[in-house]
Amino acid sequence: MSQFISGLNHLGLIVKDIAVAKKWFVETLQLEVIEDRGELLFLRCGKDVLAIKTPQMAVAKPEHGSESQSTDAAGFQALDHYGFFADSPNLVDEFAKHVSDNGASVLKGPYDRSDGRSVYFKDPLGYFGEYLYFEPGYQAK
C-alpha cells in the first residue's frame, strides 16, 4: 500500500462529442452524474470519478502547463482502454449483450480467463473498454 495513494480520484477522458459520451456513460452504463458543466461531466464510478471532457477542456492548454491547446481527441496523451469491475461472471455476459444492443462493438468475449471472466468492447466514442470479473481471492502477481 502506498503511503501517498489511497485510490483513483478520477480519470479524465477526452471525447469529441459530449452528447454521445453522456448518452453512453449515463444512459447506457448508468453512471451517476455528480456535476455537469456542459463541456465537462463528472460521473460517479463506484468509489471513483470519471471526468468526461471536450478537447477544449483538456489538460493540453496553457493554464495546465502546455504551450498550446490541442484539438486532437487524445491531446498529448494516449489511453489503452478503460475497465470496470463486474460483480459476477453472469454480469459479464449480460453486460456484453447490453452494450452491444446500445452501440458498442464486442471485440473479444465474453470469455473465461485464468483470473476470471471478461469482455472487451469498442464504445460509440471509439474507445476500447473492458468489463471484468475477478475470481475471489485472485491477486495480481
Side-chain angles (χ1 to χ4, degrees):
M1 172 82 76
S2 169
Q3 83 180 67
F4 301 106
I5 309 295
S6 62
L8 182 67
N9 179 277
H10 70 277
L11 172 70
L13 189 63
I14 301 169
V15 300
K16 290 182 182 178
D17 190 327
I18 200 80
V20 172
K22 192 171 187 178
K23 180 176 173 42
W24 173 251
F25 288 106
V26 176
E27 293 178 27
T28 302
L29 298 185
Q30 303 170 359
L31 299 182
E32 173 192 355
V33 176
I34 298 169
E35 187 174 354
D36 186 345
R37 298 184 190 169
E39 298 280 322
L40 178 59
L41 184 63
F42 292 98
L43 306 171
R44 177 135 348 264
C45 185
K47 294 181 181 179
D48 304 313
V49 174
L50 187 58
I52 306 297
K53 56 179 75 179
T54 63
Q56 293 76 22
M57 296 298 294
V59 178
K61 56 186 180 180
E63 58 265 38
H64 290 123
S66 172
E67 293 297 319
S68 65
Q69 183 171 342
S70 172
T71 56
D72 181 31
F76 297 119
Q77 304 174 64
L79 174 73
D80 179 64
H81 72 284
Y82 59 84
F84 297 115
F85 286 111
D87 289 332
S88 74
N90 291 342
L91 278 177
V92 174
D93 296 348
E94 291 176 31
F95 181 86
K97 180 175 181 347
H98 177 70
V99 298
S100 179
D101 290 347
N102 285 279
S105 302
V106 172
L107 303 173
K108 182 177 181 182
Y111 70 103
D112 290 322
R113 49 193 245 182
S114 64
D115 56 0
R117 187 160 179 80
S118 176
V119 62
Y120 285 93
F121 58 92
K122 185 175 182 182
D123 72 23
L125 299 153
Y127 286 103
F128 297 107
E130 180 182 15
Y131 190 61
L132 172 64
Y133 169 75
F134 281 121
E135 290 292 337
Y138 172 77
Q139 292 185 17
K141 295 178 182 171

Coordinates of all heavy atoms in Angstrom, one line a residue, residues 75-113:
G75 N -5.3 14.6 -27.2 CA -4.4 15.6 -26.7 C -3.0 15.2 -26.9 O -2.6 14.7 -27.9
F76 N -2.2 15.3 -25.8 CA -0.8 14.8 -25.9 C -0.6 13.5 -25.2 O 0.5 13.1 -24.9 CB 0.1 15.8 -25.2 CG 0.1 17.2 -25.9 CD1 -0.3 18.3 -25.2 CD2 0.5 17.3 -27.2 CE1 -0.3 19.5 -25.9 CE2 0.5 18.5 -27.9 CZ 0.1 19.6 -27.2
Q77 N -1.7 12.8 -25.0 CA -1.7 11.5 -24.2 C -2.4 10.4 -25.0 O -3.1 10.7 -25.9 CB -2.4 11.8 -22.8 CG -1.7 12.9 -22.1 CD -2.4 13.2 -20.8 OE1 -2.5 12.4 -19.9 NE2 -3.0 14.4 -20.7
A78 N -2.3 9.2 -24.5 CA -3.0 8.1 -25.1 C -3.6 7.2 -24.0 O -3.0 7.1 -22.9 CB -2.0 7.3 -25.9
L79 N -4.7 6.6 -24.3 CA -5.4 5.7 -23.4 C -5.5 4.4 -24.1 O -6.0 4.3 -25.2 CB -6.8 6.3 -23.0 CG -7.7 5.4 -22.2 CD1 -7.2 5.3 -20.7 CD2 -9.1 5.9 -22.2
D80 N -5.0 3.3 -23.4 CA -5.1 2.0 -24.0 C -6.6 1.5 -23.9 O -7.2 1.2 -24.9 CB -4.2 1.0 -23.2 CG -4.3 -0.4 -23.7 OD1 -4.0 -0.6 -24.9 OD2 -4.8 -1.3 -23.0
H81 N -7.2 1.5 -22.7 CA -8.6 1.2 -22.6 C -9.0 1.5 -21.1 O -8.1 1.8 -20.3 CB -8.9 -0.3 -22.9 CG -8.4 -1.3 -21.8 ND1 -7.0 -1.6 -21.7 CD2 -9.0 -1.9 -20.9 CE1 -6.9 -2.5 -20.7 NE2 -8.1 -2.7 -20.2
Y82 N -10.3 1.6 -20.9 CA -10.8 1.8 -19.6 C -11.4 0.5 -19.2 O -11.8 -0.3 -20.0 CB -11.8 3.0 -19.4 CG -13.0 2.9 -20.3 CD1 -14.1 2.2 -19.9 CD2 -13.0 3.6 -21.5 CE1 -15.3 2.2 -20.7 CE2 -14.2 3.6 -22.3 CZ -15.3 2.9 -21.9 OH -16.4 2.8 -22.7
G83 N -11.5 0.2 -17.9 CA -12.1 -1.1 -17.4 C -12.9 -0.9 -16.2 O -12.7 0.0 -15.4
F84 N -14.0 -1.7 -16.1 CA -14.9 -1.7 -15.0 C -15.0 -3.0 -14.3 O -14.8 -4.1 -15.0 CB -16.3 -1.3 -15.4 CG -16.4 0.1 -16.0 CD1 -16.7 0.3 -17.4 CD2 -16.2 1.2 -15.3 CE1 -16.9 1.5 -17.9 CE2 -16.3 2.5 -15.8 CZ -16.6 2.6 -17.1
F85 N -15.2 -3.1 -13.0 CA -15.4 -4.3 -12.3 C -16.7 -4.9 -12.5 O -17.7 -4.1 -12.5 CB -15.2 -4.1 -10.7 CG -13.8 -3.8 -10.3 CD1 -13.5 -2.6 -9.8 CD2 -12.9 -4.9 -10.3 CE1 -12.2 -2.4 -9.3 CE2 -11.6 -4.6 -9.8 CZ -11.3 -3.4 -9.3
A86 N -16.8 -6.2 -12.6 CA -18.1 -6.9 -12.6 C -18.2 -7.6 -11.3 O -17.2 -8.1 -10.8 CB -18.2 -7.9 -13.8
D87 N -19.5 -7.8 -10.8 CA -19.7 -8.5 -9.5 C -19.9 -10.0 -9.7 O -19.9 -10.7 -8.7 CB -20.9 -7.9 -8.8 CG -20.6 -6.5 -8.3 OD1 -19.4 -6.2 -8.0 OD2 -21.6 -5.7 -8.1
S88 N -20.1 -10.4 -10.9 CA -20.3 -11.9 -11.1 C -19.9 -12.2 -12.6 O -20.0 -11.3 -13.4 CB -21.7 -12.3 -10.8 OG -22.6 -11.9 -11.8
P89 N -19.6 -13.5 -12.8 CA -19.4 -13.9 -14.2 C -20.6 -13.7 -15.1 O -20.5 -13.3 -16.3 CB -19.0 -15.4 -14.1 CG -18.6 -15.6 -12.7 CD -19.4 -14.6 -11.9
N90 N -21.8 -13.9 -14.5 CA -23.0 -13.8 -15.3 C -23.2 -12.4 -15.8 O -23.8 -12.1 -16.9 CB -24.2 -14.3 -14.5 CG -24.2 -15.8 -14.3 OD1 -23.5 -16.5 -15.1 ND2 -25.0 -16.2 -13.4
L91 N -22.8 -11.4 -14.9 CA -23.0 -10.0 -15.3 C -22.1 -9.6 -16.5 O -22.5 -8.8 -17.3 CB -22.6 -9.1 -14.1 CG -23.8 -8.9 -13.1 CD1 -23.3 -8.0 -12.0 CD2 -25.0 -8.3 -13.8
V92 N -21.0 -10.3 -16.7 CA -20.1 -10.1 -17.8 C -20.9 -10.4 -19.1 O -20.9 -9.6 -20.1 CB -18.8 -10.9 -17.8 CG1 -18.0 -10.7 -19.0 CG2 -18.0 -10.5 -16.5
D93 N -21.6 -11.5 -19.1 CA -22.4 -11.9 -20.2 C -23.6 -11.0 -20.5 O -23.8 -10.6 -21.6 CB -23.0 -13.4 -20.1 CG -21.9 -14.4 -20.0 OD1 -20.7 -14.1 -20.3 OD2 -22.2 -15.5 -19.6
E94 N -24.3 -10.6 -19.4 CA -25.4 -9.6 -19.6 C -24.9 -8.3 -20.1 O -25.5 -7.6 -20.9 CB -26.1 -9.5 -18.2 CG -26.8 -10.7 -17.8 CD -27.5 -10.5 -16.4 OE1 -27.8 -9.3 -16.0 OE2 -27.6 -11.5 -15.7
F95 N -23.7 -7.8 -19.5 CA -23.2 -6.6 -19.9 C -22.8 -6.6 -21.4 O -23.1 -5.6 -22.1 CB -21.9 -6.3 -19.1 CG -21.3 -4.9 -19.4 CD1 -21.7 -3.8 -18.8 CD2 -20.2 -4.9 -20.3 CE1 -21.1 -2.6 -19.1 CE2 -19.6 -3.7 -20.6 CZ -20.0 -2.5 -20.0
A96 N -22.2 -7.7 -21.9 CA -21.8 -7.8 -23.3 C -23.0 -7.6 -24.2 O -23.0 -6.9 -25.2 CB -21.1 -9.1 -23.6
K97 N -24.1 -8.2 -23.9 CA -25.3 -8.1 -24.7 C -25.9 -6.6 -24.6 O -26.3 -6.0 -25.6 CB -26.4 -9.1 -24.2 CG -27.7 -8.9 -25.0 CD -28.7 -10.0 -24.7 CE -30.0 -9.9 -25.5 NZ -30.3 -8.7 -26.3
H98 N -25.9 -6.1 -23.4 CA -26.4 -4.7 -23.1 C -25.6 -3.7 -23.9 O -26.2 -2.9 -24.6 CB -26.3 -4.4 -21.6 CG -26.8 -3.0 -21.3 ND1 -28.1 -2.6 -21.4 CD2 -26.1 -1.9 -20.9 CE1 -28.2 -1.4 -21.1 NE2 -27.0 -0.9 -20.8
V99 N -24.3 -3.7 -23.9 CA -23.5 -2.7 -24.6 C -23.6 -2.9 -26.1 O -23.7 -2.0 -26.9 CB -22.0 -2.6 -24.2 CG1 -22.0 -2.2 -22.7 CG2 -21.3 -3.9 -24.4
S100 N -23.7 -4.2 -26.5 CA -23.9 -4.5 -28.0 C -25.2 -4.0 -28.5 O -25.3 -3.4 -29.6 CB -23.8 -6.0 -28.2 OG -23.9 -6.3 -29.6
D101 N -26.2 -4.1 -27.7 CA -27.5 -3.5 -28.0 C -27.6 -2.0 -28.0 O -28.5 -1.4 -28.5 CB -28.6 -4.1 -27.1 CG -28.9 -5.6 -27.2 OD1 -28.5 -6.2 -28.2 OD2 -29.6 -6.1 -26.3
N102 N -26.6 -1.4 -27.4 CA -26.6 0.1 -27.3 C -25.4 0.7 -28.0 O -24.9 1.8 -27.5 CB -26.6 0.4 -25.8 CG -27.9 0.2 -25.2 OD1 -28.8 1.1 -25.3 ND2 -28.1 -0.9 -24.5
G103 N -24.9 0.2 -29.1 CA -24.0 0.9 -30.0 C -22.5 0.5 -29.8 O -21.7 1.1 -30.5
A104 N -22.2 -0.4 -28.9 CA -20.8 -0.8 -28.8 C -20.6 -2.1 -29.6 O -21.5 -2.8 -29.9 CB -20.5 -1.1 -27.3
S105 N -19.3 -2.3 -30.0 CA -18.9 -3.5 -30.7 C -18.2 -4.4 -29.8 O -17.2 -3.9 -29.2 CB -18.0 -3.2 -31.9 OG -18.6 -2.3 -32.8
V106 N -18.6 -5.6 -29.6 CA -17.9 -6.6 -28.8 C -16.7 -7.1 -29.6 O -16.9 -7.6 -30.7 CB -18.8 -7.7 -28.3 CG1 -18.0 -8.8 -27.6 CG2 -19.9 -7.2 -27.4
L107 N -15.5 -6.9 -29.0 CA -14.3 -7.3 -29.7 C -13.8 -8.6 -29.3 O -13.2 -9.3 -30.2 CB -13.2 -6.2 -29.4 CG -13.5 -4.8 -29.7 CD1 -12.4 -3.8 -29.2 CD2 -13.7 -4.6 -31.2
K108 N -13.9 -9.0 -28.0 CA -13.5 -10.3 -27.6 C -14.3 -10.7 -26.4 O -14.5 -10.0 -25.4 CB -12.0 -10.2 -27.2 CG -11.5 -11.6 -26.7 CD -10.0 -11.5 -26.4 CE -9.5 -12.9 -26.0 NZ -8.0 -12.8 -25.6
G109 N -14.9 -11.9 -26.4 CA -15.6 -12.4 -25.3 C -17.1 -12.3 -25.5 O -17.6 -12.0 -26.6
P110 N -17.8 -12.5 -24.4 CA -17.3 -12.8 -23.1 C -16.5 -14.2 -23.1 O -16.9 -15.1 -23.8 CB -18.5 -12.9 -22.2 CG -19.6 -12.4 -23.0 CD -19.2 -12.5 -24.4
Y111 N -15.5 -14.2 -22.3 CA -14.7 -15.4 -22.2 C -14.1 -15.6 -20.8 O -13.9 -14.7 -20.1 CB -13.5 -15.4 -23.3 CG -12.5 -14.4 -23.0 CD1 -11.2 -14.8 -22.5 CD2 -12.6 -13.1 -23.2 CE1 -10.2 -13.9 -22.2 CE2 -11.6 -12.1 -22.9 CZ -10.4 -12.6 -22.4 OH -9.4 -11.7 -22.2
D112 N -13.8 -16.9 -20.5 CA -13.2 -17.2 -19.2 C -11.7 -17.1 -19.4 O -11.1 -17.4 -20.4 CB -13.5 -18.6 -18.8 CG -14.9 -18.8 -18.3 OD1 -15.5 -17.8 -17.7 OD2 -15.6 -19.8 -18.6
R113 N -11.0 -16.6 -18.4 CA -9.5 -16.5 -18.3 C -9.0 -16.9 -17.0 O -9.8 -17.2 -16.1 CB -9.1 -15.1 -18.7 CG -9.8 -14.0 -18.0 CD -9.6 -12.6 -18.6 NE -8.8 -11.8 -17.6 CZ -8.5 -10.5 -17.9 NH1 -8.8 -10.0 -19.0 NH2 -7.8 -9.8 -17.0

